Amino acid sequence: LAQLSLNNPGKAAAILTHSPWTVAATTNEDIFVLDLSKVGLGRIAIIDEGSEESQINEITEAITQLTGPAVVIRNQFVIGFGTDLESIAFSLTKLEQEMQRKQLHNQ
């Protein structure tokens, strides 16, 4: 969040959500990045559970290196980030809908 604020003259926001379809999509241990560039979301990192310090480091790295508006902590929750809450909510809704579509398509 601090990095995003530095990149966008003091404007940064974050939403933590328990999005069931997105979190369910991370149960596959082989997945570490969701590439959703076809729906306009870019690449979203999936981070494994670990110590608080390692998760913070991985989240920071993901925010600076990936193009997507969110990071998923495997089997737990989704952190959306951006310059305002409305754009984050829109991106997280789009992510959840795409994951629901993928999960239902795979069944």
Side-chain angles (χ1 to χ4, degrees), residues 67-82:
T67 59
V71 173
V72 182
I73 307 298
R74 193 181 302 276
N75 299 320
Q76 290 188 21
F77 52 83
V78 180
I79 303 171
F81 49 88

Side-chain angles (χ1 to χ4, degrees), residues 18-70:
H18 299 278
S19 304
W21 293 98
T22 303
V23 171
T26 68
T27 57
N28 181 345
E29 294 296 324
D30 294 334
I31 295 176
F32 58 92
V33 172
L34 296 173
D35 190 354
L36 299 172
S37 53
K38 293 177 185 173
V39 293
L41 290 177
R43 294 175 48 150
I44 296 171
I46 299 174
I47 297 171
D48 290 317
E49 294 178 60
S51 70
E52 185 177 315
E53 186 176 320
S54 71
Q55 284 185 339
I56 290 171
N57 289 337
E58 288 188 50
I59 290 168
T60 303
E61 185 177 328
I63 290 171
T64 58
Q65 292 183 2
L66 296 179
T67 59

